[in-house]
Amino acid sequence: MASEPPGGPRAWLVWGTAASVYLLAMFHRNGMSAAALQAQERFDVGPALLSVLPMVQLAIYVLLQIPSGLLADRLGPRRSLLISLGVMAAGTILFALAPDARAAVAGRVLIGAGDSLVFLNVIRVAALWFPRRHYSMVSAFTGIAGGLGQLVSAAPLSALLTGLGWEASFLAAGAVNLLVGALVLAVLRDRPDGRPAPSHAFPSVRESLAEALSHRGPRIGMAAHSVIMVPFTVLGVLWGYPLLEEGYGLSTRAAGLLLTAAMVLPMALAPFLGRIPGSRPRLRKPMALVLAWTVTLLWLGVVLWPGGLPPFPVTAAVVLLSAFASVLAPSVSFDYARDGLPEQRTGTASGLVNMCGFTAVMLGVVGAGVLLEFGGADASFQTAFAPMTALCLTASTAMTVLLCRADR
Protein backbone atom coordinates (compact mmCIF):
# COMPACT_ATOMS: atom_id res chain seq x y z
CA MET A 1 0.00 0.00 0.00
CA ALA A 2 1.16 3.54 -0.70
CA SER A 3 2.24 5.62 2.24
CA GLU A 4 -0.06 8.31 3.58
CA PRO A 5 0.12 11.82 2.10
CA PRO A 6 2.72 13.96 3.90
CA GLY A 7 0.71 17.09 4.71
CA GLY A 8 2.85 20.13 5.49
CA PRO A 9 2.92 23.78 4.30
CA ARG A 10 2.46 22.92 0.60
CA ALA A 11 -0.63 20.87 1.45
CA TRP A 12 -2.12 23.80 3.37
CA LEU A 13 -1.45 26.16 0.44
CA VAL A 14 -3.14 23.81 -2.02
CA TRP A 15 -6.06 23.18 0.33
CA GLY A 16 -6.39 26.93 1.02
CA THR A 17 -6.71 27.61 -2.70
CA ALA A 18 -9.44 24.98 -3.02
CA ALA A 19 -11.15 26.30 0.13
CA SER A 20 -11.32 29.78 -1.39
CA VAL A 21 -13.55 28.28 -4.10
CA TYR A 22 -15.80 26.83 -1.39
CA LEU A 23 -15.97 30.21 0.36
CA LEU A 24 -17.10 31.77 -2.91
CA ALA A 25 -19.60 28.98 -3.59
CA MET A 26 -21.15 29.46 -0.14
CA PHE A 27 -21.46 33.17 -0.85
CA HIS A 28 -23.38 32.39 -4.04
CA ARG A 29 -25.46 29.68 -2.37
CA ASN A 30 -26.58 31.81 0.56
CA GLY A 31 -26.82 35.18 -1.17
CA MET A 32 -30.57 34.77 -1.64
CA SER A 33 -31.15 35.25 2.11
CA ALA A 34 -29.78 38.80 2.16
CA ALA A 35 -31.39 39.52 -1.22
CA ALA A 36 -34.72 37.81 -0.43
CA LEU A 37 -36.85 40.90 0.13
CA GLN A 38 -35.27 42.77 -2.79
CA ALA A 39 -35.82 39.73 -5.04
CA GLN A 40 -39.45 39.55 -3.93
CA GLU A 41 -39.94 43.17 -5.02
CA ARG A 42 -37.77 42.97 -8.15
CA PHE A 43 -39.52 39.89 -9.56
CA ASP A 44 -42.95 40.59 -8.01
CA VAL A 45 -43.35 37.16 -6.35
CA GLY A 46 -44.81 35.91 -3.05
CA PRO A 47 -43.08 33.76 -0.41
CA ALA A 48 -43.88 30.44 -2.13
CA LEU A 49 -42.54 31.57 -5.52
CA LEU A 50 -39.60 33.31 -3.84
CA SER A 51 -38.59 29.98 -2.30
CA VAL A 52 -38.45 28.53 -5.83
CA LEU A 53 -35.22 30.47 -6.53
CA PRO A 54 -33.05 28.77 -3.89
CA MET A 55 -35.10 25.56 -4.18
CA VAL A 56 -34.27 25.13 -7.87
CA GLN A 57 -30.63 25.89 -7.13
CA LEU A 58 -30.56 23.32 -4.33
CA ALA A 59 -32.48 20.76 -6.42
CA ILE A 60 -29.82 20.95 -9.14
CA TYR A 61 -27.11 20.79 -6.47
CA VAL A 62 -28.68 17.67 -4.95
CA LEU A 63 -29.37 15.90 -8.25
CA LEU A 64 -25.77 16.42 -9.37
CA GLN A 65 -24.11 15.15 -6.19
CA ILE A 66 -23.65 11.59 -7.44
CA PRO A 67 -22.36 12.66 -10.88
CA SER A 68 -20.17 15.23 -9.12
CA GLY A 69 -18.76 12.55 -6.83
CA LEU A 70 -17.93 10.37 -9.81
CA LEU A 71 -16.31 13.33 -11.58
CA ALA A 72 -14.32 14.11 -8.45
CA ASP A 73 -12.90 10.59 -8.59
CA ARG A 74 -12.20 10.76 -12.34
CA LEU A 75 -11.25 14.35 -13.24
CA GLY A 76 -9.54 15.33 -10.02
CA PRO A 77 -10.01 18.55 -8.00
CA ARG A 78 -8.16 21.00 -10.26
CA ARG A 79 -10.20 20.50 -13.42
CA SER A 80 -13.45 20.04 -11.49
CA LEU A 81 -13.04 23.31 -9.59
CA LEU A 82 -12.16 25.24 -12.74
CA ILE A 83 -15.35 23.96 -14.39
CA SER A 84 -17.39 24.89 -11.32
CA LEU A 85 -16.05 28.45 -11.22
CA GLY A 86 -16.87 29.04 -14.87
CA VAL A 87 -20.42 27.72 -14.53
CA MET A 88 -21.08 29.71 -11.33
CA ALA A 89 -19.75 32.88 -12.98
CA ALA A 90 -22.16 32.45 -15.90
CA GLY A 91 -25.07 31.83 -13.52
CA THR A 92 -24.27 34.85 -11.36
CA ILE A 93 -24.05 37.17 -14.36
CA LEU A 94 -27.38 35.87 -15.69
CA PHE A 95 -28.97 36.32 -12.24
CA ALA A 96 -27.64 39.88 -12.03
CA LEU A 97 -29.16 40.85 -15.37
CA ALA A 98 -32.35 38.77 -15.14
CA PRO A 99 -35.37 40.82 -16.27
CA ASP A 100 -37.90 38.43 -14.73
CA ALA A 101 -38.28 35.44 -12.42
CA ARG A 102 -37.82 32.90 -15.24
CA ALA A 103 -34.38 34.24 -16.15
CA ALA A 104 -33.49 34.46 -12.45
CA VAL A 105 -34.35 30.77 -12.03
CA ALA A 106 -32.10 29.92 -14.99
CA GLY A 107 -29.26 31.80 -13.30
CA ARG A 108 -29.76 29.94 -10.03
CA VAL A 109 -29.78 26.64 -11.96
CA LEU A 110 -26.30 27.41 -13.31
CA ILE A 111 -25.09 28.50 -9.87
CA GLY A 112 -26.37 25.23 -8.37
CA ALA A 113 -24.71 23.18 -11.12
CA GLY A 114 -21.34 24.85 -10.54
CA ASP A 115 -21.70 24.71 -6.77
CA SER A 116 -22.36 20.95 -6.90
CA LEU A 117 -18.73 20.29 -7.84
CA VAL A 118 -17.09 22.40 -5.15
CA PHE A 119 -17.34 20.89 -1.67
CA LEU A 120 -16.66 17.32 -2.75
CA ASN A 121 -13.44 18.41 -4.43
CA VAL A 122 -12.27 20.52 -1.50
CA ILE A 123 -12.53 17.56 0.86
CA ARG A 124 -11.00 15.42 -1.91
CA VAL A 125 -7.96 17.71 -1.74
CA ALA A 126 -7.87 17.06 2.01
CA ALA A 127 -7.97 13.29 1.43
CA LEU A 128 -5.19 13.42 -1.19
CA TRP A 129 -2.84 15.85 0.57
CA PHE A 130 -3.18 15.11 4.32
CA PRO A 131 -2.73 11.99 6.52
CA ARG A 132 -5.96 10.21 7.49
CA ARG A 133 -5.71 11.34 11.13
CA HIS A 134 -5.80 15.00 10.00
CA TYR A 135 -8.81 14.60 7.72
CA SER A 136 -11.49 15.58 10.23
CA MET A 137 -9.49 18.64 11.31
CA VAL A 138 -9.08 19.80 7.70
CA SER A 139 -12.80 19.13 7.18
CA ALA A 140 -13.50 21.42 10.14
CA PHE A 141 -11.37 24.14 8.54
CA THR A 142 -13.35 23.55 5.36
CA GLY A 143 -16.48 24.21 7.38
CA ILE A 144 -14.88 27.47 8.54
CA ALA A 145 -14.23 28.46 4.93
CA GLY A 146 -17.90 27.83 4.21
CA GLY A 147 -18.83 29.83 7.30
CA LEU A 148 -16.79 32.76 6.00
CA GLY A 149 -18.73 32.51 2.76
CA GLN A 150 -21.96 32.70 4.73
CA LEU A 151 -20.62 35.70 6.64
CA VAL A 152 -19.88 37.55 3.43
CA SER A 153 -23.33 36.65 2.10
CA ALA A 154 -25.02 38.24 5.14
CA ALA A 155 -24.24 41.77 6.31
CA PRO A 156 -21.57 42.61 3.67
CA LEU A 157 -23.77 41.54 0.76
CA SER A 158 -26.73 43.36 2.27
CA ALA A 159 -24.64 46.54 2.51
CA LEU A 160 -23.38 46.06 -1.04
CA LEU A 161 -26.92 45.65 -2.37
CA THR A 162 -27.99 48.80 -0.54
CA GLY A 163 -25.01 50.82 -1.76
CA LEU A 164 -24.47 49.59 -5.34
CA GLY A 165 -27.78 48.05 -6.27
CA TRP A 166 -28.74 44.63 -7.58
CA GLU A 167 -26.94 44.44 -10.92
CA ALA A 168 -23.59 45.93 -9.88
CA SER A 169 -23.40 43.75 -6.74
CA PHE A 170 -23.99 40.44 -8.51
CA LEU A 171 -21.89 41.33 -11.56
CA ALA A 172 -18.99 42.04 -9.20
CA ALA A 173 -19.55 38.66 -7.57
CA GLY A 174 -19.37 36.98 -10.99
CA ALA A 175 -16.07 38.73 -11.72
CA VAL A 176 -14.57 37.38 -8.48
CA ASN A 177 -15.16 33.85 -9.81
CA LEU A 178 -12.77 34.54 -12.68
CA LEU A 179 -10.07 35.87 -10.34
CA VAL A 180 -10.32 32.80 -8.11
CA GLY A 181 -10.16 30.61 -11.23
CA ALA A 182 -6.79 32.14 -12.12
CA LEU A 183 -5.57 31.33 -8.59
CA VAL A 184 -6.71 27.70 -8.91
CA LEU A 185 -4.96 27.39 -12.26
CA ALA A 186 -1.69 28.70 -10.81
CA VAL A 187 -1.56 26.95 -7.43
CA LEU A 188 -3.78 23.88 -7.16
CA ARG A 189 -2.48 20.41 -8.03
CA ASP A 190 -4.40 17.16 -7.61
CA ARG A 191 -1.81 15.32 -5.51
CA PRO A 192 1.62 15.78 -3.93
CA ASP A 193 4.68 15.35 -6.14
CA GLY A 194 5.79 11.74 -6.21
CA ARG A 195 2.41 10.31 -5.19
CA PRO A 196 1.24 7.79 -7.80
CA ALA A 197 -1.90 8.62 -9.77
CA PRO A 198 -4.80 6.24 -9.21
CA SER A 199 -5.68 3.50 -11.67
CA HIS A 200 -8.14 4.55 -14.36
CA ALA A 201 -10.12 1.32 -13.92
CA PHE A 202 -12.97 2.98 -12.03
CA PRO A 203 -16.10 1.02 -11.13
CA SER A 204 -19.41 1.79 -12.82
CA VAL A 205 -21.96 4.14 -11.29
CA ARG A 206 -23.94 1.21 -9.91
CA GLU A 207 -20.83 -0.42 -8.49
CA SER A 208 -19.68 2.87 -6.93
CA LEU A 209 -23.04 3.39 -5.23
CA ALA A 210 -23.20 -0.22 -4.05
CA GLU A 211 -19.67 0.02 -2.65
CA ALA A 212 -20.44 3.22 -0.73
CA LEU A 213 -23.78 1.98 0.65
CA SER A 214 -22.35 -1.38 1.67
CA HIS A 215 -20.39 0.30 4.46
CA ARG A 216 -22.10 1.56 7.60
CA GLY A 217 -19.89 4.67 7.84
CA PRO A 218 -21.30 6.43 4.76
CA ARG A 219 -24.85 5.62 5.88
CA ILE A 220 -24.17 7.18 9.29
CA GLY A 221 -22.65 10.21 7.56
CA MET A 222 -25.77 10.55 5.39
CA ALA A 223 -28.05 10.62 8.44
CA ALA A 224 -25.75 12.95 10.40
CA HIS A 225 -25.52 15.47 7.58
CA SER A 226 -29.31 15.43 7.20
CA VAL A 227 -29.70 17.04 10.60
CA ILE A 228 -26.53 18.70 11.91
CA MET A 229 -26.07 21.23 9.12
CA VAL A 230 -29.71 21.67 8.11
CA PRO A 231 -31.33 24.38 10.30
CA PHE A 232 -28.69 27.08 9.91
CA THR A 233 -28.36 26.29 6.21
CA VAL A 234 -32.12 26.78 5.78
CA LEU A 235 -31.72 30.18 7.47
CA GLY A 236 -28.66 31.03 5.39
CA VAL A 237 -30.16 29.97 2.08
CA LEU A 238 -33.34 32.03 2.42
CA TRP A 239 -35.31 32.32 5.64
CA GLY A 240 -32.87 33.91 8.12
CA TYR A 241 -33.49 37.53 7.14
CA PRO A 242 -37.28 37.17 6.77
CA LEU A 243 -37.50 35.46 10.18
CA LEU A 244 -35.57 38.22 11.92
CA GLU A 245 -37.01 41.18 9.97
CA GLU A 246 -40.65 40.16 9.63
CA GLY A 247 -40.91 37.79 12.59
CA TYR A 248 -39.08 39.97 15.14
CA GLY A 249 -39.09 43.42 13.53
CA LEU A 250 -35.30 43.78 13.28
CA SER A 251 -33.77 46.10 10.73
CA THR A 252 -31.89 44.62 7.79
CA ARG A 253 -28.61 45.77 9.35
CA ALA A 254 -29.41 44.23 12.73
CA ALA A 255 -30.48 40.93 11.15
CA GLY A 256 -27.26 40.82 9.13
CA LEU A 257 -25.16 41.51 12.22
CA LEU A 258 -26.89 38.74 14.16
CA LEU A 259 -26.44 36.16 11.40
CA THR A 260 -22.82 37.26 11.03
CA ALA A 261 -22.11 37.15 14.75
CA ALA A 262 -23.69 33.69 15.00
CA MET A 263 -20.82 32.30 12.91
CA VAL A 264 -17.89 33.92 14.74
CA LEU A 265 -17.68 31.82 17.93
CA PRO A 266 -18.25 28.47 16.17
CA MET A 267 -15.57 29.32 13.63
CA ALA A 268 -13.11 30.07 16.44
CA LEU A 269 -13.76 26.74 18.18
CA ALA A 270 -14.11 24.52 15.11
CA PRO A 271 -10.35 23.87 14.58
CA PHE A 272 -10.07 22.47 18.13
CA LEU A 273 -13.29 20.44 18.19
CA GLY A 274 -12.96 19.39 14.57
CA ARG A 275 -9.83 17.36 15.24
CA ILE A 276 -11.69 15.11 17.71
CA PRO A 277 -13.04 12.55 15.18
CA GLY A 278 -9.55 11.98 13.74
CA SER A 279 -7.45 12.14 16.89
CA ARG A 280 -9.93 10.50 19.29
CA PRO A 281 -12.16 8.17 17.27
CA ARG A 282 -14.02 6.95 20.37
CA LEU A 283 -15.46 10.43 20.85
CA ARG A 284 -16.79 10.64 17.31
CA LYS A 285 -20.05 8.86 18.17
CA PRO A 286 -20.99 11.01 21.22
CA MET A 287 -20.03 14.13 19.29
CA ALA A 288 -22.40 13.19 16.46
CA LEU A 289 -25.22 12.35 18.88
CA VAL A 290 -24.85 15.55 20.91
CA LEU A 291 -24.79 17.79 17.84
CA ALA A 292 -27.75 16.09 16.15
CA TRP A 293 -30.07 15.90 19.15
CA THR A 294 -29.17 19.38 20.42
CA VAL A 295 -30.16 20.93 17.09
CA THR A 296 -33.31 18.81 16.84
CA LEU A 297 -34.58 19.53 20.35
CA LEU A 298 -33.82 23.26 20.10
CA TRP A 299 -35.92 23.66 16.96
CA LEU A 300 -38.62 21.43 18.37
CA GLY A 301 -38.79 23.90 21.25
CA VAL A 302 -39.12 26.83 18.82
CA VAL A 303 -41.92 25.16 16.87
CA LEU A 304 -43.84 24.08 19.99
CA TRP A 305 -43.30 27.28 22.00
CA PRO A 306 -46.72 28.28 23.38
CA GLY A 307 -48.23 31.54 22.16
CA GLY A 308 -46.09 32.09 19.06
CA LEU A 309 -42.39 32.60 18.47
CA PRO A 310 -40.15 32.40 21.55
CA PRO A 311 -38.72 35.60 23.03
CA PHE A 312 -36.00 37.02 20.81
CA PRO A 313 -33.06 36.04 23.11
CA VAL A 314 -34.21 32.41 22.98
CA THR A 315 -34.37 32.36 19.19
CA ALA A 316 -31.01 34.15 18.97
CA ALA A 317 -29.46 31.41 21.12
CA VAL A 318 -31.02 28.72 18.90
CA VAL A 319 -29.59 30.42 15.81
CA LEU A 320 -26.14 30.57 17.44
CA LEU A 321 -26.13 26.89 18.40
CA SER A 322 -27.43 25.93 14.95
CA ALA A 323 -24.53 27.83 13.40
CA PHE A 324 -22.14 26.00 15.73
CA ALA A 325 -23.48 22.63 14.56
CA SER A 326 -23.36 23.66 10.91
CA VAL A 327 -19.67 24.58 11.10
CA LEU A 328 -18.80 21.25 12.76
CA ALA A 329 -20.98 19.14 10.47
CA PRO A 330 -18.27 18.36 7.86
CA SER A 331 -15.78 17.06 10.43
CA VAL A 332 -18.32 14.47 11.62
CA SER A 333 -20.38 13.60 8.56
CA PHE A 334 -17.57 13.29 6.02
CA ASP A 335 -15.22 11.55 8.43
CA TYR A 336 -17.82 8.79 8.69
CA ALA A 337 -18.19 8.84 4.89
CA ARG A 338 -14.57 7.68 4.44
CA ASP A 339 -14.91 4.60 6.65
CA GLY A 340 -13.94 1.47 4.75
CA LEU A 341 -13.26 3.17 1.40
CA PRO A 342 -9.94 3.75 -0.41
CA GLU A 343 -8.99 7.41 -0.84
CA GLN A 344 -9.36 7.31 -4.64
CA ARG A 345 -13.04 6.28 -4.37
CA THR A 346 -14.40 8.53 -1.63
CA GLY A 347 -16.14 10.92 -4.03
CA THR A 348 -19.32 8.87 -4.43
CA ALA A 349 -19.75 8.35 -0.68
CA SER A 350 -19.19 12.05 -0.04
CA GLY A 351 -21.70 12.85 -2.77
CA LEU A 352 -24.32 10.66 -1.06
CA VAL A 353 -23.70 12.39 2.28
CA ASN A 354 -23.98 15.84 0.73
CA MET A 355 -27.05 14.84 -1.29
CA CYS A 356 -28.93 13.71 1.81
CA GLY A 357 -28.09 16.86 3.77
CA PHE A 358 -29.15 19.25 1.04
CA THR A 359 -32.26 17.28 0.20
CA ALA A 360 -33.33 17.99 3.78
CA VAL A 361 -32.39 21.66 3.34
CA MET A 362 -34.37 21.91 0.11
CA LEU A 363 -37.47 20.36 1.69
CA GLY A 364 -37.13 22.66 4.70
CA VAL A 365 -36.82 25.79 2.52
CA VAL A 366 -39.76 24.91 0.29
CA GLY A 367 -41.90 23.64 3.17
CA ALA A 368 -41.50 26.96 4.97
CA GLY A 369 -42.40 28.93 1.84
CA VAL A 370 -45.51 26.87 1.14
CA LEU A 371 -46.79 27.17 4.72
CA LEU A 372 -46.20 30.92 4.78
CA GLU A 373 -47.93 31.40 1.42
CA PHE A 374 -50.92 29.09 1.83
CA GLY A 375 -51.23 28.66 5.60
CA GLY A 376 -53.95 31.27 5.87
CA ALA A 377 -54.43 33.38 8.99
CA ASP A 378 -52.51 30.88 11.12
CA ALA A 379 -49.35 31.06 8.98
CA SER A 380 -46.29 32.13 10.96
CA PHE A 381 -42.58 31.57 11.03
CA GLN A 382 -43.12 29.23 13.96
CA THR A 383 -45.23 26.83 11.92
CA ALA A 384 -43.07 27.41 8.83
CA PHE A 385 -40.13 25.63 10.46
CA ALA A 386 -42.20 22.56 11.41
CA PRO A 387 -41.27 20.57 8.24
CA MET A 388 -37.55 21.22 8.81
CA THR A 389 -37.86 20.17 12.45
CA ALA A 390 -39.69 16.96 11.52
CA LEU A 391 -36.90 16.09 9.07
CA CYS A 392 -34.26 16.70 11.76
CA LEU A 393 -36.13 14.45 14.18
CA THR A 394 -36.32 11.67 11.58
CA ALA A 395 -32.65 11.94 10.67
CA SER A 396 -31.50 12.05 14.30
CA THR A 397 -33.47 8.90 15.05
CA ALA A 398 -32.05 7.10 12.00
CA MET A 399 -28.50 8.11 12.92
CA THR A 400 -28.96 6.92 16.51
CA VAL A 401 -30.20 3.51 15.30
CA LEU A 402 -27.25 3.13 12.92
CA LEU A 403 -24.74 4.07 15.60
CA CYS A 404 -26.27 1.63 18.08
CA ARG A 405 -26.12 -1.17 15.50
CA ALA A 406 -22.48 -0.32 14.81
CA ASP A 407 -21.65 -1.19 18.43
CA ARG A 408 -23.10 -4.70 18.18
Side-chain angles (χ1 to χ4, degrees), residues 69-96:
L70 295 169
L71 280 176
D73 290 339
R74 286 160 172 74
L75 294 182
R78 188 168 186 255
R79 284 185 288 177
S80 297
L81 290 176
L82 286 171
I83 292 170
S84 74
L85 285 164
V87 175
M88 283 193 295
T92 305
I93 292 169
L94 177 57
F95 186 65

Side-chain angles (χ1 to χ4, degrees), residues 123-158:
I123 61 172
R124 185 107 166 99
V125 167
L128 292 170
W129 281 82
F130 291 91
R132 178 66 175 84
R133 66 184 182 278
H134 292 162
Y135 181 75
S136 64
M137 179 183 66
V138 181
S139 295
F141 277 110
T142 303
I144 291 175
L148 289 172
Q150 284 186 272
L151 289 180
V152 178
S153 73
L157 177 58
S158 179

